[in-house]
Amino acid sequence: MSQAVAHLRRAIRLAQRSGSAELTALARMSLGYALANSGRNVAALREVTAALKDLSGCDAGRARMQRGVVLHYAGRYEEAARDYTAAVEIARQEGDALLEARARNNRGLVQTRRGMARGGDDLRRAEEIFTALGLDLAAADTRWNLGTAAARRGEVAVALRVFAEVDRRYRELDVPRPALQLDRLELLLSVPLPAEATEVAAAAVRELGERGMASDQAEALLGQARTALLAGELPAATAAAGRAGEAFRRQGRPAWAALARSVALRAGFLSGTRTARSLTAMVRNAEQLDATGWPGTALATRIDAARVAAALGRTGQARELLTVAARARRGGTAARRTQGWFAAALRHRLGGADRQALSALRNGLAVQETHRSWYGATELRASSGEHGRELAVEGLDIAVGAGRPAHILAWAELWRATTLRMTPVAPPADPELSAVLTELRGVCAAVEAAALAGRPATADQRRQGQLEHRVRELTRSADGAGALTRPPRVTALAAALGDAVLVELVAYRGGILAVAVRDGRASLHHLGDLDAARRRSRQHRFALRRLITLDDPAAAWTAARHAAGALDAQLLAPLHARIGDRPLVVAPIGDLHALAWAALPSCAGRAVTVVPSAAAWLRAATSESTACGPAVLVSGPRLPAGEKEVAALAAADPQAVVLTAAAAGAAAVAAAMESARLAHIAAHGVFRADAPLLSTLELADGPLTAYELERLRRPPGVVVLSACDSGRSAVQPGDELLGLGAVLLGAGTRTLIASVLPVPADRTADLMLDLHARLRGGTGPAAALAAAQQHLTAGGDALAHATAAAFHCIGAG
């Protein structure tokens, strides 16, 4: 870009020597474009403005459009829109279709940025003109901008579909478009999907820097700052925001500099900064953001400023700030309305009106959850739980202050695992998705074969990554819809629990609260430090893993028993008077979803059901499964004990559909599972923490993914997965779970029995045969698993204990 600037300056000098004002102006107009791309907006604006006085006709229209671009970069959107409109009018007068299309495209982007619906009309018209002119690349760029417009309206599925479609078109045209990844980054942050956003931001910073696109690179730096903020990496967020802000100031872009400043201020707020200086900076920043076209960020900054003012005892100022912020609840995007209701709730709390505050918080969560319900993909629904965090925490704080256990349970449930309270949305029957999944299986099989043979598989691994990316694109682009069921009342839970006791854990101010529901009454219990429980749970899992993998497991067995005792003393001993010897339904939090609950002394021999939430349990427990077909028994490759396990189960159930060896392909297994009353799959499993819905069960022709299980229309009523780690889930904000088990429960499976740890094949087979014998005898799944676990461990064998501890009964129990 620097060479282009040098050449254009020389062109201006040559034009001036020739005495041609028009040629000089044209060269200046081009110089303005080059300067704007290199981030020198003040100089760019000076050159284009100077050029305008000597141009007429279409040249004047192009100059007006170019000045609009410079103003657009600088964040002066209203002025940019005026120049774009002038360019459109000139183009139509002069009959210059290309100029009209370019100006409409740019005006559509500005209108979209300003929240104006007619931006889409301009973009669609621009796409039509570019297509008619045979300018395929320009048409693709405009199509991408329509995706950006959809994203800004909150239509995530539409935006994802458009971006994926245009990405393919760019590959066909063999034209890289690194700057457009900024729009993808914005979309990932809006869901949010922080892991992917981190990758996209880093790639954008690198590629845009290599191409000398300083203006776009500064925006990518800002994206990095926002991604770090979302991930809770506050020092990194502050540093990246500082670099972005410095770049914006050099480029003469005060609106963008204000946006970068808001990220740094938010990071300071989250790290505990509450000073008069930070309050003044926040108020000033909110005013700047409002004035320069960033109302959503201005709203969030104003709310933070009010909370700082309240902390400093400046109640009047806090109330004024919240009054302004609360106006957003009446209109705009779902995110803005949600924040507006949050501001209204905080204002009510300042006046001691907790009842009105709770009403405002419920309204805000209702807006958010209605918006989430229109996400078709499970992954998007689960990931978007972040948006309700502050409202749920505030409501829980009020409920805890009132000391009413039933209210605490209700507020914990309002935000918790809401994806499983929504009407499931099955992905559409997509031939392309089926084809991609089939190819993915073949590539995974090739990678596995190469690994076993000790050969490199670089090309296949690269292709595997590409196919996995395409699977996620195709599944995310589905539109959703569905009702959100209300959180359950204690009376409804009591009616379904019978003699069982439900214990829901709640994270609160660094500690753990437990609400126990027994015989129609809820009670509140304090269970100590949350970090201590997390640490002990990790120690317990580590020790159990060592028990299975070490030749000398004595030390691991001692460590496992010690950790289990400590966990039992913290989490269940304080509840002994309430739970007695009754069946237990437990709704854990965070990392404790993966705790081996069956290994805790208080759970020995007890029917224990582990659930994402009380509402998810109630839905599963009171639903009638329509799956009544014969049982399906499946064994995967490279698991001799699994083949024996399935053969023994088949001998006891002659009516079962048995799929082994080559017959146990992914498509055949998925088809057989439709409407089966029970499905038992003995196959190696892989849990993907980086992409939970790409967690797999290994079958004859390759992996069966969670994405494919999600497509089941009538999943089995009971599913037993005897594979390692098959019951593990990634935990999202709001205890939203993602993994094989969560997908099956969301699709309608009532009960899942699966492992949350690696398990030895032979001991697992013994446990499974005993479990199924009890199920055939009419014992419920949770009680059958508990009895089989107790029988397996009766001899005191450490390996048997580790095997038994690994399995959870999840869902209805």
Side-chain angles (χ1 to χ4, degrees):
M1 197 62 71
S2 59
Q3 288 183 336
V5 168
H7 286 308
L8 287 167
R9 290 196 188 282
R10 186 161 182 263
I12 290 171
R13 290 195 295 272
L14 291 171
Q16 287 172 333
R17 289 176 194 167
S18 74
S20 172
E22 183 181 9
L23 287 176
T24 302
L26 290 171
R28 277 191 146 169
M29 183 173 67
S30 298
L31 175 60
Y33 178 79
L35 289 168
N37 269 285
S38 61
R40 298 161 66 181
N41 287 286
V42 175
L45 188 60
R46 183 172 59 247
E47 295 294 340
V48 178
T49 301
L52 265 171
K53 61 181 175 48
D54 294 317
L55 295 173
S56 61
C58 288
D59 288 337
R62 293 186 188 95
R64 290 298 293 267
M65 189 185 73
Q66 188 54 54
R67 189 168 70 174
V69 170
V70 177
L71 292 166
H72 194 157
Y73 279 156
R76 294 161 64 175
Y77 300 122
E78 190 171 348
E79 297 170 77
R82 284 200 294 268
D83 272 338
Y84 291 147
T85 297
V88 170
E89 291 171 356
I90 293 171
R92 297 183 71 180
Q93 290 168 6
E94 299 290 332
D96 190 331
L98 179 58
L99 174 60
E100 181 186 352
R102 288 174 173 169
R104 282 188 180 277
N105 176 64
N106 290 354
R107 187 172 68 178
L109 282 174
V110 166
Q111 289 170 336
T112 297
R113 172 71 73 181
R114 298 168 70 199
M116 300 170 71
R118 63 177 178 268
D121 295 336
D122 264 337
L123 292 170
R124 281 185 285 274
R125 179 58 185 146
E127 183 184 15
E128 289 173 2
I129 296 172
F130 283 135
T131 302
L133 293 173
L135 299 173
D136 293 342
L137 180 57
D141 286 346
T142 307
R143 185 73 177 160
W144 181 281
N145 292 339
L146 279 164
T148 302
R152 294 195 189 284
R153 293 193 303 269
E155 298 174 5
V156 174
V158 174
L160 286 167
R161 188 159 54 241
V162 171
F163 286 162
E165 171 192 323
V166 182
D167 252 353
R168 291 197 300 276
R169 185 59 178 148
Y170 285 145
R171 286 196 294 272
E172 291 170 3
L173 296 170
D174 195 24
V175 177
R177 280 287 190 264
L180 297 185
Q181 295 309 312
L182 297 174
D183 297 325
R184 188 191 296 277
L185 175 59
E186 183 72 26
L187 183 62
L188 293 172
L189 287 168
S190 74
V191 173
L193 294 167
E196 286 181 68
T198 299
E199 293 179 10
V200 171
V205 169
R206 182 180 62 255
E207 291 180 30
L208 294 168
E210 290 171 352
R211 293 171 182 270
M213 301 172 71
S215 182
D216 290 323
Q217 187 189 35
E219 294 180 32
L221 280 169
L222 176 59
Q224 274 194 323
R226 294 173 61 200
T227 302
L229 184 66
L230 184 62
E233 299 169 0
L234 303 182
T238 302
R243 291 194 298 274
E246 183 180 347
F248 290 135
R249 285 187 289 275
R250 284 198 311 268
Q251 296 169 11
R253 302 169 70 185
W256 286 88
L259 193 59
R261 178 66 173 149
S262 73
V263 175
L265 289 169
R266 176 69 171 165
F269 174 80
L270 293 176
S271 64
T273 301
R274 305 287 190 275
T275 65
R277 183 176 181 180
S278 68
L279 173 59
T280 300
M282 285 177 169
V283 172
R284 184 185 301 118
N285 183 250
E287 292 170 350
Q288 291 171 337
L289 291 165
D290 265 335
T292 53
W294 302 101
T297 310
L299 172 61
T301 303
R302 190 167 280 114
I303 292 173
D304 285 349
R307 297 169 80 179
V308 172
L312 295 174
R314 301 182 183 183
T315 306
Q317 185 180 11
R319 186 175 290 109
E320 290 175 6
L321 290 165
L322 291 171
T323 298
V324 174
R327 294 171 188 158
R329 70 191 188 280
R330 300 303 182 192
T333 64
R336 289 191 64 198
R337 296 201 309 277
T338 300
Q339 285 286 286
W341 282 114
F342 182 47
L346 294 177
R347 186 183 60 189
H348 286 309
R349 290 207 76 182
L350 279 177
D354 283 355
R355 181 174 295 181
Q356 290 92 329
L358 289 171
S359 177
L361 291 168
R362 288 191 195 96
N363 286 337
L365 285 169
V367 169
Q368 186 57 45
E369 297 310 334
T370 299
H371 181 65
R372 289 176 72 194
S373 71
W374 287 95
Y375 287 171
T378 300
E379 184 177 22
L380 299 183
R381 288 183 170 194
S383 298
S384 63
E386 175 69 30
H387 294 303
R389 182 195 297 273
E390 289 184 314
L391 286 82
V393 168
E394 198 71 23
L396 182 62
D397 190 61
I398 295 173
V400 172
R404 301 178 66 178
H407 288 191
I408 294 170
L409 178 62
W411 270 96
E413 286 287 306
L414 265 175
W415 186 51
R416 185 175 190 145
T418 51
T419 294
L420 293 176
R421 287 197 286 123
M422 293 177 180
T423 304
V425 178
D430 185 343
E432 183 183 357
L433 178 58
S434 298
V436 172
L437 287 167
T438 299
E439 184 182 353
L440 177 61
R441 266 191 287 281
V443 170
C444 288
V447 170
E448 178 73 15
L452 292 173
R455 301 191 312 269
T458 305
D460 284 330
Q461 288 170 334
R462 186 183 304 113
R463 182 59 179 158
Q464 179 182 347
Q466 293 170 344
L467 291 169
E468 288 178 353
H469 178 74
R470 185 64 184 140
V471 167
R472 295 169 87 170
E473 282 186 336
L474 290 169
T475 52
R476 286 176 179 175
S477 63
D479 292 315
L484 176 69
T485 59
R486 294 179 61 83
R489 295 180 178 274
V490 169
T491 51
L493 290 170
L497 281 166
D499 66 346
V501 180
L502 181 139
V503 174
E504 179 149 326
L505 303 185
V506 180
Y508 180 69
R509 294 188 176 182
I512 303 176
L513 302 177
V515 178
V517 179
R518 167 180 163 160
D519 297 334
R521 189 172 70 85
S523 57
L524 179 64
H525 309 266
H526 294 263
L527 302 184
D529 184 65
L530 175 58
D531 284 340
R534 287 170 172 161
R535 183 175 61 255
R536 289 166 179 157
S537 177
R538 288 193 293 270
Q539 291 169 345
H540 189 221
R541 287 181 59 81
F542 180 69
L544 289 174
R545 284 177 177 272
R546 285 169 61 85
L547 260 174
I548 293 168
T549 57
L550 292 180
D551 292 334
D552 181 12
W557 177 224
T558 300
R561 285 186 298 171
H562 176 77
L567 284 163
D568 195 75
Q570 179 179 358
L571 301 178
L572 294 180
L575 302 169
H576 278 172
R578 291 289 289 162
I579 63 178
D581 60 356
R582 297 187 180 203
L584 179 63
V585 178
V586 59
I589 46 176
D591 296 345
L592 300 185
H593 280 283
L595 172 62
W597 289 90
L600 305 192
S602 295
C603 294
R606 184 196 302 269
V608 178
T609 304
V610 181
V611 297
S613 70
W617 174 80
L618 184 62
R619 176 177 174 174
T622 56
S623 65
E624 291 291 336
S625 176
T626 57
C628 55
V632 175
L633 307 175
V634 179
S635 65
R638 301 188 303 106
L639 194 62
E643 294 178 14
K644 295 177 183 177
E645 177 181 306
V646 165
L649 292 174
D653 185 359
Q655 303 302 316
V657 175
V658 181
L659 298 173
T660 61
V669 170
M673 289 177 73
E674 289 281 2
S675 299
R677 61 177 176 80
L678 178 147
H680 178 102
I681 303 178
H684 289 294
V686 176
F687 172 69
R688 287 279 298 273
D690 64 320
L693 295 189
L694 285 168
S695 298
T696 59
L697 298 169
E698 185 182 341
L699 297 176
D701 58 347
L704 175 70
T705 68
Y707 283 117
E708 290 166 284
L709 294 177
E710 190 178 26
R711 302 174 78 192
L712 295 176
R713 302 291 173 173
R714 294 177 67 191
V718 177
V719 175
V720 181
L721 303 177
S722 58
C724 299
D725 288 322
S726 54
R728 285 186 63 191
S729 293
V731 184
Q732 308 294 314
D735 283 295
E736 299 284 5
L737 303 181
L738 282 176
L740 292 167
V743 161
L744 285 166
L745 292 176
T749 291
R750 295 183 72 246
T751 302
L752 170 72
I753 293 175
S755 68
V756 293
L757 287 162
V759 285
D762 292 336
R763 299 301 175 90
T764 297
D766 293 339
L767 179 69
M768 292 295 106
L769 294 176
D770 192 357
L771 166 69
H772 279 274
R774 297 174 191 275
L775 289 173
R776 288 193 299 273
T779 305
L785 178 62
Q789 287 168 324
Q790 189 172 38
H791 183 263
L792 185 67
T793 59
D797 177 18
L799 197 57
H801 276 278
T803 304
F807 283 89
H808 278 180
C809 180
I810 307 168

